[in-house]
Structures are given as structure tokens and as C-alpha cells.
Amino acid sequence: MVRKKITLITGANGEVGHGLIRALHAMPGALPIVVLDLRGMDEAILPLVDTSITGDILDTDLLDNLMSEYEIDTIYHLAALLSTHSEFRPEAAHRVNVQGTINLLHVAIEQAAWRDEAVRFLFPGSVAAYGMPDLATKHRAAPVPEDDYLHPITMYGCNKLYDEHLGRYYMHHYRQLAARPHSTGIDFRCVRFPGLISATTMPAGGTSDYAPEMLHAAAQGQPYACFVRPDTIMPFLAMPDGIQALLALAAAPRTALTRCVYNVTGFSLTAGEIAARVQQDFPAAQITFAPQPGRQTIVDSWPARLDDSAARRDWGWQPRYDAETAFRDYLIPTIRQQYAPR
Ligand code: SER
């Protein structure tokens, strides 16, 4: 039996999934897309995928069935519980974020063995993998490279960091004591994202959510109370650049890659700067600041700036949008369209 060759996307109904599906669908010669998500796919995205499966990445029977039906060429494993949500259910988050990832890594190993060809495994890492020791260090530190300050204070950050290690382990060291150790065939590639801001979708349960929430509230004429102080700074990336990063890393020749995990970043802004920028285009926006100590502590533990020079060097990463153009050319015009009266 010939199995259909596909790209598998987990957590496909999330923000990154939507953008990724649109981009993959528009690529000439792209493989059919099979998506897996706990919730059924949104109507608007459904026509762009070959098959939509509503199910859980912890359901190993379901994953076994997938393997028997398809030849999985590339996996974008996006399913995860974000940082704020994870703090309310840390053990559940661990199951989804870690065991779920192991399950998908296992799928990749099995698939690679069957087809005797590597399976590319694209994984979204997170700025939450970092933990700056204190605010003074955060403000003083140079843009943080991949291997510094890795002391996450959230379950999500711990999970993402460990997942990166698991990807590296399964790619290079799995069954290293076997009589004849051989490659597992996983080609694990991780983009470590800063806060992503989309003009068309909203995040669910993250801690960088104040930035998109502020913007979407203003565009809809709703008041917004920001849950961090105005001086709170962290790195961000416009969603189209995030999608582009995943696609570019997926397309990079293996020989060009010197690491498994790459930082990418667009621009760093304070919450106050974002509010001011939003107010420029939506002068009636009512933005106030009502910091929540818990979420404030989380964002304070994330670096102010990320060093993405390894990605620039190895696979030509270059964000299209900086702080100015992200708002001027993408966020503001797209969001105006999004909420324009029909
Ligand atoms: N945006 C994510 C979060 O806030 C960070 O990876 O959880």
C-alpha cells in the first residue's frame, strides 16, 4: 500500500498554525497538509488542508493510526499550553507540553525508519525558556544568545527548554548504547520565538498577550487594562515573520545548521511604548495599566532582547518587520481591515 506523503501540523488551530497553513497552502508543490488539534479547525482554514483530525496528541492510538495511513515527511509540532494557562495546571501542562512532544518525536522516529529517510521536525521554542535572575541583570544584559540565562520560572518555560533537549537527544543520542547505534532519522529544528503579535488572531493563555490584546482592544474601540507595568520590556515578532522563520528553517540545508535551536527576534518594546504606538493610530484607545504581580514576574524574568545572530548566519534569517514597520505596514492596516464594519 502506498501511503500519501504529507506534512503534519499539530495544534494547527492556534495562531501559528493558522498562519503556517495559509503560507504552506500558497506554496507551489507543497505536500498535502494533515492537521491535528483538540478543537476542530476553523471554517476559514478547513478548505486549505487535506485532512483535519480532531484529537489529542496524548492519544497514542490516534497517532498510531496516523502513521499507518500516511507517510509523514515533515512535522510542525505546535500543540502546547502557553505560559499563563500552564501555571494554573502545571502537571497537565507538563503532560501536553512534554509527553505530547515525546509522542510526536516517536512518530518521527518510526516514520523515518519506515521510509529510510529523515523526517524534519519543526518545533516552536519560546523566550519563556529563559530566566533572568533579576530586573537589573535583565536591563543590563546584552541581547541574550541561545545558551545563556536558561533558568525558566514557568512550567511552560521548563517544558519548552526540556523539549529542546529532547529534540537534540532523539536526533543525536537515542539508543546510543545499542550494539550498532544508528541515526534515528529525526531532523529536529527549533525556532525559539519571542512574543508573537498577529493582526488577525489572538493568543490564548500566554503572558506576552498584553501586546496583541492592547492592539485588538483599541481596534475594536474597547478599553484595555494592561497587566504589566509600562516599563516592562520584552522582545516581539510580527506573526508573518514568525511563520517565515519556521519555513526558512525548515528549508535550510541540514549541512548549514550548526545548532538545533535558534533564537529569532523582531524588535523589543516596553508596554508603554506599545500603548503609545497603538494610541497614535487609535487616538480614542483607552489603555490603562493594572499590573498583576504574578504575570508581571513572569515577563520580568524574560530577556529584554534576544541575540539571533546564529539564525542570521546559518540560514539567512532576516525579519521583514522592525518596530516601526510592524505597526505601520502590517499590524495597523491589517487590523483595521479585520474589524472594519462589513
Ligand atoms: N507568547 C508565549 C507566552 O506568553 C511565550 O512563548 O506564553
Side-chain angles (χ1 to χ4, degrees), residues 118-142:
V119 171
R120 265 171 310 172
F121 194 102
L122 275 295
F123 184 72
S126 168
V127 65
Y130 292 105
M132 307 303 289
D134 50 59
L135 264 184
T137 312
K138 166 170 175 157
H139 289 300
R140 207 176 41 232

PDB file of all heavy atoms in Angstrom, residues 118-142:
ATOM      1  N   ALA A 118      15.117  10.895   6.416  1.00  0.00           N
ATOM      2  CA  ALA A 118      14.894  11.715   7.603  1.00  0.00           C
ATOM      3  C   ALA A 118      13.505  12.352   7.591  1.00  0.00           C
ATOM      4  O   ALA A 118      12.924  12.601   6.531  1.00  0.00           O
ATOM      5  CB  ALA A 118      15.955  12.801   7.681  1.00  0.00           C
ATOM      6  N   VAL A 119      12.972  12.589   8.784  1.00  0.00           N
ATOM      7  CA  VAL A 119      11.728  13.341   8.944  1.00  0.00           C
ATOM      8  C   VAL A 119      12.087  14.660   9.610  1.00  0.00           C
ATOM      9  O   VAL A 119      12.709  14.674  10.675  1.00  0.00           O
ATOM     10  CB  VAL A 119      10.721  12.565   9.834  1.00  0.00           C
ATOM     11  CG1 VAL A 119       9.524  13.442  10.188  1.00  0.00           C
ATOM     12  CG2 VAL A 119      10.268  11.291   9.144  1.00  0.00           C
ATOM     13  N   ARG A 120      11.727  15.753   8.953  1.00  0.00           N
ATOM     14  CA  ARG A 120      12.012  17.053   9.564  1.00  0.00           C
ATOM     15  C   ARG A 120      10.989  17.348  10.652  1.00  0.00           C
ATOM     16  O   ARG A 120       9.787  17.144  10.454  1.00  0.00           O
ATOM     17  CB  ARG A 120      11.976  18.169   8.515  1.00  0.00           C
ATOM     18  CG  ARG A 120      13.352  18.476   7.964  1.00  0.00           C
ATOM     19  CD  ARG A 120      13.259  19.402   6.807  1.00  0.00           C
ATOM     20  NE  ARG A 120      12.252  18.872   5.876  1.00  0.00           N
ATOM     21  CZ  ARG A 120      11.812  19.526   4.814  1.00  0.00           C
ATOM     22  NH1 ARG A 120      12.267  20.723   4.542  1.00  0.00           N
ATOM     23  NH2 ARG A 120      10.905  18.981   4.013  1.00  0.00           N
ATOM     24  N   PHE A 121      11.487  17.813  11.777  1.00  0.00           N
ATOM     25  CA  PHE A 121      10.634  18.067  12.946  1.00  0.00           C
ATOM     26  C   PHE A 121      10.841  19.522  13.339  1.00  0.00           C
ATOM     27  O   PHE A 121      11.884  19.886  13.879  1.00  0.00           O
ATOM     28  CB  PHE A 121      11.053  17.130  14.072  1.00  0.00           C
ATOM     29  CG  PHE A 121      10.074  17.042  15.208  1.00  0.00           C
ATOM     30  CD1 PHE A 121       9.215  15.961  15.325  1.00  0.00           C
ATOM     31  CD2 PHE A 121      10.008  18.046  16.167  1.00  0.00           C
ATOM     32  CE1 PHE A 121       8.308  15.872  16.382  1.00  0.00           C
ATOM     33  CE2 PHE A 121       9.101  17.958  17.224  1.00  0.00           C
ATOM     34  CZ  PHE A 121       8.251  16.867  17.335  1.00  0.00           C
ATOM     35  N   LEU A 122       9.845  20.359  13.039  1.00  0.00           N
ATOM     36  CA  LEU A 122       9.953  21.784  13.351  1.00  0.00           C
ATOM     37  C   LEU A 122       9.244  22.065  14.663  1.00  0.00           C
ATOM     38  O   LEU A 122       8.077  21.670  14.836  1.00  0.00           O
ATOM     39  CB  LEU A 122       9.331  22.618  12.230  1.00  0.00           C
ATOM     40  CG  LEU A 122      10.227  22.954  11.034  1.00  0.00           C
ATOM     41  CD1 LEU A 122      11.391  23.850  11.462  1.00  0.00           C
ATOM     42  CD2 LEU A 122      10.762  21.719  10.337  1.00  0.00           C
ATOM     43  N   PHE A 123       9.933  22.763  15.543  1.00  0.00           N
ATOM     44  CA  PHE A 123       9.408  22.951  16.892  1.00  0.00           C
ATOM     45  C   PHE A 123       9.499  24.421  17.302  1.00  0.00           C
ATOM     46  O   PHE A 123      10.563  25.031  17.175  1.00  0.00           O
ATOM     47  CB  PHE A 123      10.213  22.092  17.868  1.00  0.00           C
ATOM     48  CG  PHE A 123       9.696  22.143  19.268  1.00  0.00           C
ATOM     49  CD1 PHE A 123       8.504  21.510  19.601  1.00  0.00           C
ATOM     50  CD2 PHE A 123      10.382  22.832  20.251  1.00  0.00           C
ATOM     51  CE1 PHE A 123       8.004  21.571  20.893  1.00  0.00           C
ATOM     52  CE2 PHE A 123       9.890  22.893  21.555  1.00  0.00           C
ATOM     53  CZ  PHE A 123       8.704  22.259  21.870  1.00  0.00           C
ATOM     54  N   PRO A 124       8.395  25.006  17.792  1.00  0.00           N
ATOM     55  CA  PRO A 124       8.473  26.371  18.284  1.00  0.00           C
ATOM     56  C   PRO A 124       8.935  26.413  19.732  1.00  0.00           C
ATOM     57  O   PRO A 124       8.216  25.999  20.639  1.00  0.00           O
ATOM     58  CB  PRO A 124       7.029  26.879  18.156  1.00  0.00           C
ATOM     59  CG  PRO A 124       6.186  25.655  18.266  1.00  0.00           C
ATOM     60  CD  PRO A 124       7.015  24.464  17.875  1.00  0.00           C
ATOM     61  N   GLY A 125      10.149  26.867  19.952  1.00  0.00           N
ATOM     62  CA  GLY A 125      10.626  27.130  21.310  1.00  0.00           C
ATOM     63  C   GLY A 125      10.111  28.493  21.739  1.00  0.00           C
ATOM     64  O   GLY A 125       9.333  29.123  21.027  1.00  0.00           O
ATOM     65  N   SER A 126      10.545  28.933  22.905  1.00  0.00           N
ATOM     66  CA  SER A 126       9.959  30.167  23.441  1.00  0.00           C
ATOM     67  C   SER A 126      10.961  30.957  24.269  1.00  0.00           C
ATOM     68  O   SER A 126      11.830  30.387  24.941  1.00  0.00           O
ATOM     69  CB  SER A 126       8.772  29.813  24.327  1.00  0.00           C
ATOM     70  OG  SER A 126       8.362  30.945  25.067  1.00  0.00           O
ATOM     71  N   VAL A 127      10.761  32.259  24.270  1.00  0.00           N
ATOM     72  CA  VAL A 127      11.517  33.166  25.148  1.00  0.00           C
ATOM     73  C   VAL A 127      11.323  32.749  26.613  1.00  0.00           C
ATOM     74  O   VAL A 127      12.149  33.053  27.477  1.00  0.00           O
ATOM     75  CB  VAL A 127      11.055  34.632  24.903  1.00  0.00           C
ATOM     76  CG1 VAL A 127       9.597  34.815  25.319  1.00  0.00           C
ATOM     77  CG2 VAL A 127      11.943  35.631  25.608  1.00  0.00           C
ATOM     78  N   ALA A 128      10.250  32.004  26.877  1.00  0.00           N
ATOM     79  CA  ALA A 128       9.977  31.538  28.243  1.00  0.00           C
ATOM     80  C   ALA A 128      11.026  30.535  28.732  1.00  0.00           C
ATOM     81  O   ALA A 128      11.087  30.223  29.920  1.00  0.00           O
ATOM     82  CB  ALA A 128       8.585  30.919  28.325  1.00  0.00           C
ATOM     83  N   ALA A 129      11.869  30.035  27.816  1.00  0.00           N
ATOM     84  CA  ALA A 129      12.943  29.123  28.232  1.00  0.00           C
ATOM     85  C   ALA A 129      13.994  29.854  29.079  1.00  0.00           C
ATOM     86  O   ALA A 129      14.770  29.222  29.795  1.00  0.00           O
ATOM     87  CB  ALA A 129      13.620  28.509  27.007  1.00  0.00           C
ATOM     88  N   TYR A 130      13.992  31.172  28.988  1.00  0.00           N
ATOM     89  CA  TYR A 130      14.976  31.945  29.753  1.00  0.00           C
ATOM     90  C   TYR A 130      14.448  32.288  31.140  1.00  0.00           C
ATOM     91  O   TYR A 130      13.230  32.331  31.364  1.00  0.00           O
ATOM     92  CB  TYR A 130      15.277  33.263  29.029  1.00  0.00           C
ATOM     93  CG  TYR A 130      16.011  33.088  27.724  1.00  0.00           C
ATOM     94  CD1 TYR A 130      15.340  33.232  26.515  1.00  0.00           C
ATOM     95  CD2 TYR A 130      17.363  32.790  27.713  1.00  0.00           C
ATOM     96  CE1 TYR A 130      16.012  33.079  25.314  1.00  0.00           C
ATOM     97  CE2 TYR A 130      18.039  32.637  26.507  1.00  0.00           C
ATOM     98  CZ  TYR A 130      17.361  32.778  25.316  1.00  0.00           C
ATOM     99  OH  TYR A 130      18.021  32.624  24.133  1.00  0.00           O
ATOM    100  N   GLY A 131      15.369  32.602  32.034  1.00  0.00           N
ATOM    101  CA  GLY A 131      15.011  33.151  33.332  1.00  0.00           C
ATOM    102  C   GLY A 131      16.113  34.091  33.768  1.00  0.00           C
ATOM    103  O   GLY A 131      17.204  33.654  34.140  1.00  0.00           O
ATOM    104  N   MET A 132      15.847  35.401  33.639  1.00  0.00           N
ATOM    105  CA  MET A 132      16.848  36.376  34.080  1.00  0.00           C
ATOM    106  C   MET A 132      16.811  36.420  35.607  1.00  0.00           C
ATOM    107  O   MET A 132      15.725  36.375  36.195  1.00  0.00           O
ATOM    108  CB  MET A 132      16.536  37.763  33.496  1.00  0.00           C
ATOM    109  CG  MET A 132      16.365  37.788  31.978  1.00  0.00           C
ATOM    110  SD  MET A 132      17.798  37.156  31.080  1.00  0.00           S
ATOM    111  CE  MET A 132      19.004  38.446  31.338  1.00  0.00           C
ATOM    112  N   PRO A 133      17.966  36.510  36.262  1.00  0.00           N
ATOM    113  CA  PRO A 133      17.968  36.419  37.729  1.00  0.00           C
ATOM    114  C   PRO A 133      17.268  37.597  38.404  1.00  0.00           C
ATOM    115  O   PRO A 133      16.672  37.433  39.466  1.00  0.00           O
ATOM    116  CB  PRO A 133      19.457  36.382  38.088  1.00  0.00           C
ATOM    117  CG  PRO A 133      20.196  36.846  36.870  1.00  0.00           C
ATOM    118  CD  PRO A 133      19.319  36.578  35.688  1.00  0.00           C
ATOM    119  N   ASP A 134      17.343  38.780  37.818  1.00  0.00           N
ATOM    120  CA  ASP A 134      16.677  39.951  38.407  1.00  0.00           C
ATOM    121  C   ASP A 134      16.550  41.043  37.350  1.00  0.00           C
ATOM    122  O   ASP A 134      17.155  40.960  36.285  1.00  0.00           O
ATOM    123  CB  ASP A 134      17.453  40.469  39.632  1.00  0.00           C
ATOM    124  CG  ASP A 134      18.926  40.650  39.306  1.00  0.00           C
ATOM    125  OD1 ASP A 134      19.234  41.428  38.377  1.00  0.00           O
ATOM    126  OD2 ASP A 134      19.776  39.985  39.931  1.00  0.00           O
ATOM    127  N   LEU A 135      15.777  42.066  37.685  1.00  0.00           N
ATOM    128  CA  LEU A 135      15.500  43.126  36.702  1.00  0.00           C
ATOM    129  C   LEU A 135      16.756  43.874  36.291  1.00  0.00           C
ATOM    130  O   LEU A 135      16.922  44.235  35.121  1.00  0.00           O
ATOM    131  CB  LEU A 135      14.498  44.116  37.289  1.00  0.00           C
ATOM    132  CG  LEU A 135      13.028  43.899  36.914  1.00  0.00           C
ATOM    133  CD1 LEU A 135      12.172  45.024  37.483  1.00  0.00           C
ATOM    134  CD2 LEU A 135      12.859  43.817  35.386  1.00  0.00           C
ATOM    135  N   ALA A 136      17.649  44.097  37.272  1.00  0.00           N
ATOM    136  CA  ALA A 136      18.875  44.847  36.956  1.00  0.00           C
ATOM    137  C   ALA A 136      19.668  44.089  35.895  1.00  0.00           C
ATOM    138  O   ALA A 136      20.146  44.672  34.910  1.00  0.00           O
ATOM    139  CB  ALA A 136      19.705  45.050  38.221  1.00  0.00           C
ATOM    140  N   THR A 137      19.794  42.778  36.057  1.00  0.00           N
ATOM    141  CA  THR A 137      20.538  41.974  35.081  1.00  0.00           C
ATOM    142  C   THR A 137      19.807  42.000  33.739  1.00  0.00           C
ATOM    143  O   THR A 137      20.431  42.107  32.684  1.00  0.00           O
ATOM    144  CB  THR A 137      20.670  40.512  35.571  1.00  0.00           C
ATOM    145  OG1 THR A 137      21.114  40.538  36.926  1.00  0.00           O
ATOM    146  CG2 THR A 137      21.633  39.720  34.714  1.00  0.00           C
ATOM    147  N   LYS A 138      18.497  41.897  33.786  1.00  0.00           N
ATOM    148  CA  LYS A 138      17.708  41.928  32.541  1.00  0.00           C
ATOM    149  C   LYS A 138      18.005  43.206  31.759  1.00  0.00           C
ATOM    150  O   LYS A 138      18.219  43.175  30.552  1.00  0.00           O
ATOM    151  CB  LYS A 138      16.212  41.833  32.882  1.00  0.00           C
ATOM    152  CG  LYS A 138      15.288  42.197  31.722  1.00  0.00           C
ATOM    153  CD  LYS A 138      13.841  41.854  32.016  1.00  0.00           C
ATOM    154  CE  LYS A 138      12.932  42.353  30.889  1.00  0.00           C
ATOM    155  NZ  LYS A 138      11.663  41.638  30.800  1.00  0.00           N
ATOM    156  N   HIS A 139      17.999  44.338  32.449  1.00  0.00           N
ATOM    157  CA  HIS A 139      18.186  45.609  31.748  1.00  0.00           C
ATOM    158  C   HIS A 139      19.626  45.813  31.293  1.00  0.00           C
ATOM    159  O   HIS A 139      19.881  46.445  30.271  1.00  0.00           O
ATOM    160  CB  HIS A 139      17.716  46.770  32.621  1.00  0.00           C
ATOM    161  CG  HIS A 139      16.215  46.803  32.759  1.00  0.00           C
ATOM    162  ND1 HIS A 139      15.381  46.944  31.680  1.00  0.00           N
ATOM    163  CD2 HIS A 139      15.404  46.663  33.836  1.00  0.00           C
ATOM    164  CE1 HIS A 139      14.110  46.903  32.080  1.00  0.00           C
ATOM    165  NE2 HIS A 139      14.104  46.722  33.389  1.00  0.00           N
ATOM    166  N   ARG A 140      20.561  45.239  32.044  1.00  0.00           N
ATOM    167  CA  ARG A 140      21.978  45.438  31.754  1.00  0.00           C
ATOM    168  C   ARG A 140      22.475  44.489  30.651  1.00  0.00           C
ATOM    169  O   ARG A 140      23.399  44.820  29.918  1.00  0.00           O
ATOM    170  CB  ARG A 140      22.764  45.155  33.042  1.00  0.00           C
ATOM    171  CG  ARG A 140      24.082  45.875  33.153  1.00  0.00           C
ATOM    172  CD  ARG A 140      24.755  45.612  34.485  1.00  0.00           C
ATOM    173  NE  ARG A 140      24.646  44.227  34.929  1.00  0.00           N
ATOM    174  CZ  ARG A 140      24.200  43.848  36.133  1.00  0.00           C
ATOM    175  NH1 ARG A 140      23.825  44.745  37.009  1.00  0.00           N
ATOM    176  NH2 ARG A 140      24.156  42.584  36.478  1.00  0.00           N
ATOM    177  N   ALA A 141      21.851  43.318  30.567  1.00  0.00           N
ATOM    178  CA  ALA A 141      22.394  42.253  29.708  1.00  0.00           C
ATOM    179  C   ALA A 141      22.389  42.658  28.232  1.00  0.00           C
ATOM    180  O   ALA A 141      21.472  43.333  27.756  1.00  0.00           O
ATOM    181  CB  ALA A 141      21.570  40.982  29.891  1.00  0.00           C
ATOM    182  N   ALA A 142      23.417  42.225  27.527  1.00  0.00           N
ATOM    183  CA  ALA A 142      23.438  42.373  26.074  1.00  0.00           C
ATOM    184  C   ALA A 142      22.354  41.451  25.516  1.00  0.00           C
ATOM    185  O   ALA A 142      21.855  40.577  26.236  1.00  0.00           O
ATOM    186  CB  ALA A 142      24.807  41.965  25.546  1.00  0.00           C
TER     187      ALA A 142
END
